[in-house]
Amino acid sequence: MNHASPPALEIADLVKRYPTGTEALRCVSLDIKAGEFFGLLGPNGAGKSTLIHCTTGLAQPTSGTIHVFGNDAVDHYEQARLAVGLAPQELNLDWFLTVEETLDYHGGYFGMPRKERKVRSAELLEAFSLTDKRNERNRTLSGGMKRRLVLARALMHRPRLLILDEPTAGVDVELRLELWQYVQRINSEGTTILLTTHYLEEADQLCDRIAFINEGQIIAQGSSEELAETYGVTSLEDAYLGLVGRTELSRARIAADAP
Amino acid sequence: MTSAQIRFFSLVRREVSRFLKIKRQTVGAPLLETFLYISVFGAALGSRIDELHGIDYVVFVIPGLIMMAWAINAFANNSSSILQQKFQRAIDDQLSSPASPLELQLAFSLGGFLRGMLVATLTFVAASVLVDLPVDHVLVLVPALLLVGFFFAQLGVLVGVRAEQFDDVSFAQTFVLQPLIFLGGVFYSASLLPEPFQTLTHFNPVYYMINLVRYGFLGYSEANVALSLGLLFLATFSLFALNLRLFSKGYRLRA
């Protein structure tokens, strides 16, 4: 980890209020160091996706600042966007394009020259076992194949910060393991990862640091051990249950209470 | 090529490849429709209608058909392309790229503009084979067609951005655009209409567009050419400015 370089993601006093009046983010501040594997955990509707959307330009913050590797991500966003790759929760693929075209156009949107796009897309098609499907239209792919393509697309322009918004929701064990091996490898090569997931054991195993977000606010952050300590429990799962106020579901507690 | 040029070219290429992939629907169908108009209004009805203002009826209607082909295709392409991408959320790929609001808006506009240009050009070529179609004022015709194409491309972008369901797009096309075009004088001369329809026609902006294009081809116009061209430029620029503002604010595109 290089502590001299600017943080991969630096969010300060971020507020997002929708026109309906709903305040999805309430003065959120967060720092993710370059090279970190960072987890963002919270219940549905806590503000995880809104935070990601504000970072990637899909939502406009009401106030506050966002910097990606020191570059403004809100007003003068070109450099910041070049540095971010987003694999969203939804399989938002263009039905008119083939698998290979999806990667090629994405690379084009990020200014990659044609030759470089060709080499990079071949590399990613291979890495995500999509080479045989390269000429198939996106709409004909299975759910698992679509998920692979969404991940490959996020990596196409070689982002320095990869945002994975619930990437393993509904995928089979094989793909989940392949995916984690891949992201662990690119993390070890220097790519910063921001991961949201509902699978706590994944966050526990993969993330250097984790933040809990609830009702639009960062409640706690640290390593999984530090979070467990904060909530006076022994595991990340129990710390999470403490966050959402459902400690009665704790497996440790149920086992201890068992006759 | 700079990275900004690659980006813009890719955005436009996506829009063009979309309509070329479904060319039976986006190019073939409009061509057939125009051919049917020429057959019905030219060959079938035209033989029973005298000349209009000294011009053969079939020749009189062709400039309006060419303009209509460009306008409807530019509009339909952009409105449906944007709405489809919003619907699938595939548009997020472009919105989260480093592209500026101006680049995005221009790229979406150019998709429909180029489709309209392709269909209008093919219509012109086909019409030229069927009838002797003059081009009297090319210096009026070219800017008039380009402005009409760009105006309707912008209108398509506006409707696509505002639309929340496919019904919104078809409503705009069926209940607003097509009546304005049909009642703008594509198939007749407004000067032959009885009152109050003649006066009402003067409130239809498409009437001036048709007259400009007809003047470019045939040298005949019922409206002031310079004034019409000036107003068309102003209307196109205003729509462009409005769309740019919507893209800059992320209206119905970004949360």
Side-chain angles (χ1 to χ4, degrees):
Chain A
M1 237 177 273
N2 182 0
H3 294 283
S5 60
L9 181 62
E10 188 179 16
I11 295 174
D13 305 323
L14 186 65
V15 174
K16 174 60 186 176
R17 196 176 302 114
Y18 288 106
T20 53
T22 307
E23 210 167 24
L25 295 174
R26 302 174 184 189
C27 220
V28 168
S29 293
L30 189 69
D31 272 16
I32 299 177
K33 297 183 188 82
E36 253 189 324
F37 203 130
F38 193 92
L40 187 62
L41 304 184
N44 289 329
K48 302 185 296 292
S49 292
T50 304
L51 186 143
I52 287 171
H53 289 170
C54 286
T55 303
T56 52
L58 298 177
Q60 291 177 318
T62 306
S63 62
T65 60
I66 304 172
H67 287 88
V68 176
F69 293 103
N71 299 300
D72 176 21
V74 179
D75 294 319
H76 307 287
Y77 51 73
E78 188 174 345
Q79 290 307 314
R81 298 248 182 105
L82 282 171
V84 179
L86 169 65
Q89 208 173 317
E90 315 83 42
L91 299 169
N92 64 341
L93 295 166
D94 193 328
W95 294 353
F96 286 94
L97 303 183
T98 64
V99 169
E100 192 170 23
E101 283 170 342
T102 300
L103 299 181
D104 184 67
Y105 280 111
H106 179 91
Y109 301 155
F110 284 77
M112 291 170 76
R114 194 165 168 269
K115 273 186 186 169
E116 193 186 337
R117 296 202 301 267
K118 216 170 164 53
V119 172
R120 179 65 171 158
S121 61
E123 202 176 294
L124 288 168
L125 289 169
E126 194 58 40
F128 285 92
S129 311
L130 287 165
T131 307
D132 293 345
K133 306 275 181 190
R134 66 198 307 157
N135 295 319
E136 286 193 21
R137 293 268 181 111
N138 292 338
R139 67 167 178 266
T140 66
L141 299 177
S142 68
M145 287 294 170
K146 284 179 182 163
R147 178 61 68 193
R148 285 168 197 265
L149 182 55
V150 163
L151 293 164
R153 185 184 63 184
L155 289 161
M156 180 67 191
H157 61 284
R158 295 191 175 86
R160 294 160 67 200
L161 169 62
L162 176 64
I163 300 178
L164 303 170
D165 193 3
E166 296 186 27
T168 52
V171 306
D172 58 30
V173 178
E174 185 194 344
L175 174 57
R176 186 177 300 175
L177 293 175
E178 265 182 50
L179 169 68
W180 294 139
Q181 279 177 16
Y182 192 86
V183 291
Q184 276 182 308
R185 180 166 71 76
I186 60 170
N187 177 242
S188 69
E189 288 166 2
T191 304
T192 309
I193 315 273
L194 168 58
L195 165 76
T196 78
T197 179
H198 285 294
Y199 301 109
L200 298 179
E201 71 281 6
E202 278 179 357
D204 201 8
Q205 284 169 24
L206 295 166
C207 299
D208 302 318
R209 282 196 307 139
I210 292 163
F212 280 165
I213 184 170
N214 198 19
E215 295 179 347
Q217 289 176 307
I218 301 288
I219 307 297
Q221 53 181 309
S223 65
S224 58
E225 294 79 20
E226 286 166 348
L227 288 170
E229 203 179 308
T230 303
Y231 285 86
V233 291
T234 53
S235 69
L236 182 66
E237 183 178 89
D238 284 349
Y240 181 82
L241 291 171
L243 161 80
V244 296
R246 298 298 305 273
T247 50
E248 77 276 10
L249 297 173
S250 163
R251 283 185 272 198
R253 195 166 143 179
I254 291 168
D257 290 349
Chain B
M1 268 180 131
T2 65
S3 63
Q5 286 168 335
I6 293 171
R7 184 166 68 222
F8 184 67
F9 184 66
S10 298
L11 290 165
V12 176
R13 202 161 54 92
R14 188 265 162 207
E15 292 306 304
V16 173
S17 83
R18 175 193 165 274
F19 77 73
L20 288 179
K21 281 188 178 191
I22 45 171
K23 50 185 171 295
R24 269 188 304 189
Q25 179 197 329
T26 55
V27 181
L31 271 177
L32 175 67
E33 198 175 84
T34 311
F35 176 76
L36 291 175
Y37 280 131
I38 293 174
S39 306
V40 172
F41 290 94
L45 289 176
S47 60
R48 293 177 175 269
I49 298 174
D50 282 340
E51 289 184 339
L52 280 178
H53 308 289
I55 302 161
D56 274 350
Y57 180 70
V58 67
V59 177
F60 187 84
V61 299
I62 284 174
L65 288 175
I66 291 172
M67 192 222 80
M68 188 170 84
W70 201 326
I72 288 181
N73 282 286
F75 173 87
N77 188 83
N78 292 351
S79 53
S80 58
S81 175
I82 292 175
L83 180 61
Q84 272 169 356
Q85 290 185 77
K86 275 171 47 174
F87 203 66
Q88 301 161 13
R89 292 307 318 167
I91 201 168
D92 288 355
D93 201 28
Q94 289 99 308
L95 294 177
S96 59
S97 79
S100 68
L102 178 64
E103 287 171 327
L104 289 168
Q105 189 218 347
L106 269 179
F108 282 124
S109 303
L110 279 175
F113 179 86
L114 293 171
R115 173 174 149 190
M117 181 190 259
L118 177 64
V119 176
T121 305
L122 292 172
T123 305
F124 170 71
V125 171
S128 301
V129 172
L130 296 171
V131 297
D132 185 18
L133 186 65
V135 178
D136 274 8
H137 300 283
V138 72
L139 292 179
V140 172
L141 180 65
V142 171
L145 278 174
L146 292 176
L147 281 171
V148 166
F150 202 61
F151 176 86
F152 283 98
Q154 293 296 323
L155 201 61
V157 168
L158 177 65
V159 170
V161 167
R162 282 187 53 83
E164 287 176 337
Q165 50 190 353
F166 287 99
D167 190 41
D168 296 336
V169 168
S170 61
F171 176 84
Q173 187 166 335
T174 311
F175 292 95
V176 182
L177 196 64
Q178 280 190 334
L180 282 178
I181 291 176
F182 275 73
L183 299 174
V186 172
F187 300 107
Y188 55 82
S189 166
S191 64
L192 302 177
L193 289 175
E195 288 297 351
F197 301 107
Q198 193 176 131
T199 305
L200 282 174
T201 303
H202 292 138
F203 291 98
N204 180 351
V206 179
Y207 166 72
Y208 300 94
M209 298 179 189
I210 292 170
N211 271 287
L212 273 175
V213 175
R214 192 169 280 145
Y215 180 78
F217 277 111
L218 311 176
Y220 172 79
S221 174
E222 294 169 2
N224 183 306
V225 171
L227 186 65
S228 300
L229 207 52
L231 287 173
L232 178 56
F233 178 80
L234 202 66
T236 307
F237 181 79
S238 304
L239 205 48
F240 174 79
L242 172 67
N243 281 342
L244 184 56
R245 188 169 161 73
L246 296 184
F247 270 79
S248 301
K249 291 176 80 72
Y251 177 78
R252 293 194 180 174
L253 293 169
R254 303 178 199 271

